Amino acid sequence: MRTDVEIVATTQRSLRHRATGGLAVRQTGPTTAHLIGTAATPLGGDEIVVRVIVDAGARLTLGSVAAMLALPAAHRPDSSMRWEIEVGACARLRVDPQPTVVAGGAALYSDIVVRIDPQASVDLHEYVQIGRSATHRDTDAAGRWEGGLHIDAGDTPLLRHRLALVMPEVGARHDHRAAGSVFRYPDSRGDDVDAVSFAVRAALAGGGSLTTALGASAAITRRLCDDLEVRSVAAGAAIGR
């Protein structure tokens, strides 16, 4: 199944949106919308494309009402999801959907392609977990996720990042079956590393930052990203005093 979603935010009128396939869009506030599943997707062979356009000066907060579950089909295990995002000058965009869970035997390939004006403000959150159960250890049937971030500010490349996630082997020292990432622009803060919790914020040369965390569940990686953010704010306040 092919799913296409388009959401357009402008300063001239309310949100415009359309969707076909396994997702729908519900406007939940003047500048807020949520993705809603209307069919089981992604299954093996499915393709999802979400296009988001935030015109100059507009605001949009985009979430989802439930986690997305990637499942294998009888004839093939892999599916794909692609985000195409454009953010205009002085616009603000926050994308923070519920986690993606990749079930046993499934493989999901995700790409987020973003083009933002240098005067825009963007927060992008992504959380992924391999396996529906935190105690699942069947590595032969485990799922796989691979995701990429391709972000430009104007004509300046900001970020080219790819991460692959699989179920850890039995007996592995760390149970890192989930990953979380938060991209922020602009962000002038420096690097910050929490080696104990496997979380890091990397300052980007062109401006902005990317926070990534690994853990045993999507909920844990979200908490690790949030904790690193709180610690960074507290440290900045202490320096200011």
Side-chain angles (χ1 to χ4, degrees):
M1 177 170 60
R2 165 84 181 209
T3 296
D4 286 285
V5 176
E6 183 175 83
I7 303 171
V8 180
T10 74
T11 59
Q12 305 301 318
R13 53 179 293 179
S14 62
L15 295 178
R16 303 198 311 268
H17 56 81
R18 62 178 182 85
T20 60
L23 291 175
V25 180
R26 176 176 295 171
Q27 185 170 349
T28 51
T31 61
T32 304
H34 284 77
L35 298 176
I36 302 171
T38 58
T41 190
L43 301 175
D46 286 359
E47 181 180 0
I48 300 172
V49 177
V50 179
R51 189 159 189 251
V52 178
I53 301 172
V54 186
D55 285 347
R59 305 286 187 268
L60 176 62
T61 298
L62 179 61
S64 64
V65 300
M68 176 175 287
L69 178 61
L71 295 166
H75 63 291
R76 60 186 293 184
D78 61 297
S79 55
S80 68
M81 184 166 188
R82 179 179 176 88
W83 292 77
E84 299 175 353
I85 299 173
E86 299 178 16
V87 187
C90 301
R92 295 181 61 87
L93 171 66
R94 177 183 175 90
V95 178
D96 189 5
Q98 295 296 312
T100 296
V101 177
V102 184
L108 177 62
Y109 298 93
S110 169
D111 281 288
I112 301 175
V113 180
V114 186
R115 188 173 187 86
I116 59 180
D117 185 276
Q119 301 302 314
S121 176
V122 178
D123 287 356
L124 300 176
H125 299 246
E126 186 174 33
Y127 302 95
V128 183
Q129 177 179 312
I130 302 297
R132 287 175 283 185
S133 169
T135 59
H136 176 76
R137 298 302 307 178
D138 185 359
T139 56
D140 291 336
R144 174 183 176 85
W145 174 85
E146 184 175 321
L149 284 169
H150 181 117
I151 303 176
D152 292 339
D155 295 327
T156 302
L158 283 184
L159 182 63
R160 304 291 188 269
H161 181 264
R162 293 202 71 82
L163 178 67
L165 194 62
V166 298
M167 181 70 73
E169 295 182 357
V170 175
R173 182 178 179 183
H174 301 291
D175 187 16
H176 291 161
R177 69 184 72 193
S181 69
V182 179
F183 167 79
R184 297 189 188 279
Y185 181 90
D187 190 351
S188 59
R189 296 172 298 172
D191 298 337
D192 194 358
V193 179
D194 187 340
V196 175
S197 299
F198 294 93
V200 59
R201 186 186 66 249
L204 305 178
S209 67
L210 178 66
T211 300
T212 54
L214 299 174
S217 70
I220 289 174
T221 62
R222 178 182 283 275
R223 177 178 57 78
L224 291 175
C225 289
D226 290 346
D227 288 351
L228 193 61
E229 186 73 9
V230 170
R231 188 175 78 175
S232 298
V233 172
I239 292 175
R241 291 196 299 268

